[in-house]
Amino acid sequence: MADPVLSVTGLSRSFGALKATDEVTLDLRPGEIHALIGPNGAGKSTLINLISGALSPDAGSVHLGGMDVTRLGVSARARLGLGRTYQISSLFPEFSALRNVMLAVQARQGSSFRFFLPVMADASLRDPALSLLDRVGLAARAHVIAAELSHGERRQLELAMALALSPRLLLLDEPMAGMGPEGSKAMTALLAQLGHALPILLVEHDMDAVFALADRISVLVYGRIIATGSVEEIRRDPEVRRAYLGDAA
Amino acid sequence: MITRERLVEITLVLLLAAVPIAAQLLNEPFYLTLATRVAILGLAAVGLNIALGLGGLVSFGHAAFFGVGGYVAGVLAIHAFNGTPMLLGLPGTKLMPFIWIVAILVSGLVALGIGALTLRTSGVYFIMITLAFAQMIYYFAISWPAYGGEDGLSFYVRNGFPGVDTLKPLPFLLICYALLALGLILFQVLRKSRFGAALQGARQNEVRVAATGISPYRIRLVAFVIWAMITGVAGALYADLNRFVSPAMLSWHMSGELIVLIVLGGVGRRFGPVVGAGLYVLLEYWLGGITERWQLFLGLMLLGVVLFARGGLIGLLAGKPRHG
Ligand SMILES: Nc1ncnc2c1ncn2[C@@H]1O[C@H](COP(=O)(O)OP(=O)(O)O)[C@@H](O)[C@H]1O
Ligand SMILES: [Mg+2]
């Protein structure tokens, strides 16, 4: 089997007495969508933050493409190809959608210490940004201020910004949260398209989306992974049904 | 299409240009001094507008750079006047362009040091630590008898500029206008540049900037240094205006005045510093002639702006800023 693009080994993190992440081991293989599910407060966002470098672990390690990045910060991991979106949209509210993506493209190019050329006249930022907006279905809204975009559009914009970094993998924290059924469907289709080119670690509550998209699923409960397997295996796993899925599956 | 903001800006430029003419017609040379003050304080505020307006860096230390620029002008002038060598045996100079370059270098270096240490913090801590550094420089100046200590440093003849009679108020005013214009152009260019995008991004959403792989710290450090350099030049001009530099230029009052001025004018707006400086100088002149407590009225205006007109005077006149 191909080497994983991301591997997490024995990762732990406590907040006071609470073990939010408890010896989590998990990997993400090339070309797969690996869904991470679990009840609210299970520690999914915490795990994403540990992987992205926003939080530092008490123990364990994170490897990106074989390289140990456990001690690296958010910026450094982003430069190594780790793209992410946030559970709560995180954008530049005063910039237009286009300028949001352009800033991400600029970051990718690693060239923020240019003081003279106006960005709006800079085709090397504009063109890729426009095509990314097109890819996530936001081309028509390119000049709208981010603060004025609808909830679903913000999630699309976030995805465009994450893609602008030409990431080697994506961490998506509940990309469908707060979207209507239409939006969820569109996002599911978009992710299905991306997922074949780009491995995705997907935190999501929408089970229809998870079952439609995931190649593998890991179930997190109280900070621990209680099962990892294919969609079928997870659907059948008695412990998962008891702890999490209830009768929904 | 001409926006309302552009119209306001054009009006302001015409007003500034009208001052020397009015001074001539009304035979009121003092107007020239007022306009010079507006230009110099405006320039210092342009620097602050880069750090605060674009970068969201609220600090209380910019008087340090204003004062450092002032002392550079004073110290160089005194040594040139007395014909004595300075540090490392270097000669002084009475030429403004050289003085500005030294002011830029020295303020920039001081800012690099202070910024490198303080930009690790944010919010109230950042305010307090920048204040602490500025106060250190203030007390250093007070306790440095070679350069006047508490009394400050007078130099009797304004420094020169090749081909210009700087002793006359009008040419000196034009020099200050020219530097203010340069500052405003620089602000605009920076705002539209990649650097400006990253700096504004770091203000809007620091976490997101970091997540895209841009280090907010480094971006801010550069902004901090640029800010200090501009403020340093303004300080040098201010010393030349008064032919006097004292620790007062380094005091926290000065930092406070610059913040007040830019908030009055409009934070982050290109001409906010100019409007703010104009308003400040006029209030000081009119109200200051009536009552010693004119700053009380300034405070009331500030309160009004903060409560009712967050965009400052520019915001009132020109409406919300256009983004894009
Ligand atoms: N910064 C923090 N400080 C203290 N407790 C936290 C912090 N972040 C998360 N937690 C706690 O850790 C647990 C896991 O949270 P989270 O990772 O957000 O769960 P999920 O995303 O799975 O809903 C929750 O009980 C939450 O209250
Ligand atoms: Mg969460």
Side-chain angles (χ1 to χ4, degrees), chain B residues 136-147:
Chain B
M136 270 166 56
I137 298 178
Y138 172 75
Y139 286 113
F140 179 72
I142 280 192
S143 56
W144 198 11
Y147 296 118

Side-chain angles (χ1 to χ4, degrees), chain B residues 10-219:
Chain B
I10 292 171
T11 312
L12 285 166
V13 169
L14 291 177
L15 275 175
L16 284 179
V19 174
I21 302 167
Q24 183 74 29
L25 291 177
L26 304 173
N27 196 20
E28 285 275 12
F30 187 63
Y31 287 0
L32 296 178
T33 306
L34 288 182
T36 310
R37 271 179 68 80
V38 171
I40 295 172
L41 291 177
L43 178 61
V46 168
L48 182 57
N49 209 19
I50 292 174
L52 176 65
L54 300 184
L57 295 172
V58 182
S59 98
F60 229 81
H62 31 292
F65 312 122
F66 196 64
V68 163
Y71 270 93
V72 164
V75 168
L76 287 174
I78 286 287
H79 280 284
F81 187 77
N82 296 337
T84 50
M86 303 182 304
L87 211 64
L88 310 170
L90 292 168
T93 175
K94 297 188 58 58
L95 277 180
M96 285 186 188
F98 285 121
I99 288 175
W100 298 337
I101 290 170
V102 178
I104 285 173
L105 290 176
V106 176
S107 323
L109 275 176
V110 172
L112 192 63
I114 295 182
L117 293 170
T118 58
L119 284 166
R120 300 277 182 205
T121 64
S122 61
V124 173
Y125 298 100
F126 180 66
I127 297 176
M128 293 327 264
I129 296 179
T130 49
L131 176 61
F133 274 107
Q135 289 301 93
M136 270 166 56
I137 298 178
Y138 172 75
Y139 286 113
F140 179 72
I142 280 192
S143 56
W144 198 11
Y147 296 118
E150 221 169 331
D151 299 330
L153 194 61
S154 293
F155 46 106
Y156 301 103
V157 181
R158 184 173 290 150
N159 292 304
F161 190 95
V164 178
D165 182 0
T166 55
L167 299 182
K168 294 202 177 119
L170 182 61
F172 184 58
L173 169 63
L174 294 181
I175 287 176
C176 293
Y177 273 179
L179 288 176
L180 173 63
L182 272 179
L184 288 169
I185 292 170
L186 182 67
F187 174 82
Q188 182 71 355
V189 168
L190 284 181
R191 176 162 70 174
K192 293 187 158 191
S193 70
R194 290 186 178 215
F195 172 74
L199 183 60
Q200 294 170 75
R203 166 173 55 78
Q204 293 172 45
N205 193 340
E206 174 173 3
V207 174
R208 195 70 181 88
V209 163
T212 56
I214 298 174
S215 153
Y217 173 77
R218 287 172 52 195
I219 294 287

Side-chain angles (χ1 to χ4, degrees), chain B residues 204-250:
Chain B
Q204 293 172 45
N205 193 340
E206 174 173 3
V207 174
R208 195 70 181 88
V209 163
T212 56
I214 298 174
S215 153
Y217 173 77
R218 287 172 52 195
I219 294 287
R220 286 176 177 153
L221 185 57
V222 171
F224 196 84
V225 169
I226 294 174
W227 163 35
M229 289 172 160
I230 295 175
T231 311
V233 172
L237 289 173
Y238 197 74
D240 255 321
L241 171 65
N242 302 319
R243 277 161 275 187
F244 174 62
V245 42
S246 75
M249 273 179 79
L250 290 159

Side-chain angles (χ1 to χ4, degrees), chain A residues 74-75 78-79 86 90-95 99 106-107 109 111-115 117-119 122 124-125 165, chain B residues 189-190 192-195 197-198 200-201 203-205 207-215 218-219 222 226 323-324:
Chain A
V74 173
S75 313
R79 280 192 294 271
Y86 295 77
S90 181
L91 302 163
F92 303 110
E94 296 172 20
F95 283 162
R99 287 206 63 183
Q106 170 182 327
Q109 293 178 358
S111 53
S112 289
F113 290 101
R114 289 197 200 155
F115 302 91
L117 184 71
V119 284
D122 188 340
S124 72
L125 293 179
L165 301 179
Chain B
V189 168
L190 284 181
K192 293 187 158 191
S193 70
R194 290 186 178 215
F195 172 74
Q200 294 170 75
R203 166 173 55 78
Q204 293 172 45
N205 193 340
V207 174
R208 195 70 181 88
V209 163
T212 56
I214 298 174
S215 153
R218 287 172 52 195
I219 294 287
V222 171
I226 294 174
H323 297 289

Side-chain angles (χ1 to χ4, degrees), chain B residues 264 279 283 287 296-306 313:
Chain B
L264 281 179
L279 201 63
L283 283 177
L287 294 176
L296 177 66
F297 294 94
L298 187 73
L300 288 175
M301 278 191 77
L302 187 66
L303 202 62
V305 163
V306 170
L313 207 59

